[in-house]
Every structure is written in structure tokens, then in C-alpha cells.
Amino acid sequence: MVQLTSSLSGRANGSGSDGGPLVIAVHGGTYTSAYFDLPGRSLLDSAAANGIAVVAIDRPGYVNSPMLAPDSMDIAGQAAFLRDALGEVWEAFGGGRSGVVLIGHSIGAAIAATIAASVPDWPLLGLAISGVGLTTNPGDHERWQGLPDIPLVAMPDEVKDHVMFGPEGSYDADMPEASHAANTTAPKAELLAITGAWHNVARDVLGRIAVPVHYRQAEFDRLWIIDQGEVDKFAVALGSSPLVDARLVQGSGHCIDFHRIGPAFQLQQLGFALECAVR
């Protein structure tokens, strides 16, 4: 982990070819930027092997990135902050690159989609998101709402493992334990937002995205109501995008990167980023 800019910590792979994309990766709730850089499952390493520059940020409230005002720690507030902050990332790491492809997971996917919908003033080429849908499971919002009025929420490892992973056999023997290196607390405000307000704004946000979109959702995602029909509805909502590649990923739980299908999934995202760079 390093200080990427004056306002964001994170990590970068120091790679990339002239004319290629700058991938900026946005993690989900209860994970740091280390989500994208675990040994053997590192998006940064996979990208470096393919000559692609990646910067994985820590979102507001994570590691050394700032906690925003309480009413700005929801999805819309973080997206507004990051729209400007990622402009600084582009200035620092975008030299010689054709533009930015955002990769977002889970809450980070909802935030990345909201940034894309806002038409940032830095060159956004495409959006690759996973672990986000249109509707979370009934009761999830109320469960988060019932917690004490504290800014940060910790999820016990054993509970988190059950939620983030698919059935036994869909991941390697060293998982889920290896994923714990990326675990941390999450702002309660974002957990309430993704299980509440997101339901009301998701279709509007998705409908305003005018760049190509790569969308993947896991077959065994325990956080979202999900099946092929839901994936199709999500794709239809992306009506302003010139290219939508939306699929259900068989044999995976919420954190696709950490499952056996993870390396193939990451290469698909990176291939999409390369395609966006030459469109």
C-alpha cells in the first residue's frame, strides 16, 4: 500500500504500454485495495503480465483514504468525491495511456457505475463491474439498520466467508483464509445505501452510462437476488451503453476473483479493457 495521491491510498503495478488503458480498480465493502492484489489472485500481477497499468484505490473510509462527512459516505457521496479524486489518479498515472477503464466490485461496482453515469471530465473508456445487482435480499437493510449507531462495522471472518464464497469445491483449499489479508471494517452508511437507496436509483444510474460495460454476476451470490433473468434485466437497464457484455458466472460466489474461475474472470476484464482502449 502507498499514498497514490494527496487524497487516496492504494497500490499500483507500475506497468502499462503506451496507448493502453489505465485500469482503476474500486473494491467492495469490508475489503481494502488488497482485494485486487492477493498472491496468486492478483489483478495487478495479471495485468502487469499483459502490459496493462492498474491502480487499485482505497475508497473513502478505508486505510489512509479520508472518511467523508456522514451524509457523504453513501454511494452517491463517495462517487462524487471519487469523480474528482480519480482525476488526480489519471494525472499521476495516466501518462501515455489512452484513457481509464473502471473495474468495480460489489459496493465499489455501484460507486463506479455512479461515477460513469456522471460523465467525468477525465477520459473514461469503459466500465467492468461484478457483485452488484438490482435488488439485495429481503431483510438485509433492516439487519444493518439494527446495528448500533457506529461509523464502522466489522464482519467476523467466519460470517464473511459464508457470504462471500460459493459452495465447497468452487474455490481452492487455501481459500477463504487467504482472502482475510484484505479484510477490514466498512462504513455503516455504505452498507445501508447498497441495501436500501441503491434499489431506487440503480436503473436510473445504469441508464445514464454511455460507455461500454462488462458485467458479471456470480451464480451463488448470497447478497443479491440473482439468476439469469436478473442479469438480463441489469443488461436491459444499460440502455445508453454502446456495448454490453453481461453474463452469469457459473460455479462462483460473490467474490469471483477468489474462486477457481477467478483467473479467467480477471483476464476477461483485462481483455475488455484492451478492447476499450482501441475502440
Side-chain angles (χ1 to χ4, degrees), residues 150-235:
I150 52 177
L152 297 173
V153 174
M155 186 182 293
D157 288 346
E158 62 274 14
V159 174
K160 187 172 177 179
D161 293 345
H162 172 74
V163 171
M164 302 299 183
F165 284 83
E168 189 173 347
S170 64
Y171 50 87
D172 291 337
D174 64 336
M175 280 292 185
E177 185 176 356
S179 71
H180 296 171
N183 286 356
T184 190
T185 55
K188 182 181 176 182
E190 68 180 33
L191 301 174
L192 289 171
I194 196 67
T195 57
W198 174 251
H199 299 174
N200 301 322
V201 303
R203 284 180 170 83
D204 174 65
V205 168
L206 298 175
R208 290 187 283 113
I209 296 172
V211 296
V213 178
H214 182 279
Y215 173 60
R216 295 292 185 268
Q217 189 64 307
E219 177 186 13
F220 298 109
D221 196 308
R222 303 182 197 274
L223 295 176
W224 297 92
I225 295 174
I226 195 66
D227 55 24
Q228 185 60 54
E230 288 296 307
V231 171
D232 293 342
K233 290 176 188 176
F234 196 98

Side-chain angles (χ1 to χ4, degrees), residues 60-146:
Y62 289 85
V63 195
N64 290 335
S65 296
M67 181 74 79
L68 308 179
D71 60 354
S72 295
M73 282 303 296
D74 60 2
I75 291 166
Q78 290 194 49
F81 172 83
L82 286 174
R83 173 178 167 161
D84 293 335
L86 295 189
E88 295 180 22
V89 174
W90 169 248
E91 290 179 8
F93 295 90
R97 316 287 182 243
S98 56
V100 172
V101 174
L102 286 178
I103 287 181
H105 174 250
S106 196
I107 296 174
I111 292 169
T114 305
I115 294 168
S118 73
V119 191
D121 55 9
W122 34 268
L124 179 63
L125 305 177
L127 175 70
I129 51 177
S130 65
V132 67
L134 297 174
T135 311
T136 52
N137 294 315
D140 283 358
H141 183 72
E142 290 72 20
R143 278 188 282 275
W144 292 124
Q145 208 167 30

Side-chain angles (χ1 to χ4, degrees), residues 8-52:
L8 291 176
S9 61
R11 56 200 69 217
N13 67 358
S15 185
S17 304
D18 284 352
L22 173 66
V23 171
I24 301 179
V26 186
H27 63 83
T30 75
Y31 290 107
T32 70
S33 59
Y35 178 92
F36 296 106
D37 199 24
L38 293 182
R41 296 161 181 86
S42 172
L43 176 71
L44 275 70
D45 288 349
S46 295
N50 287 278
I52 302 171

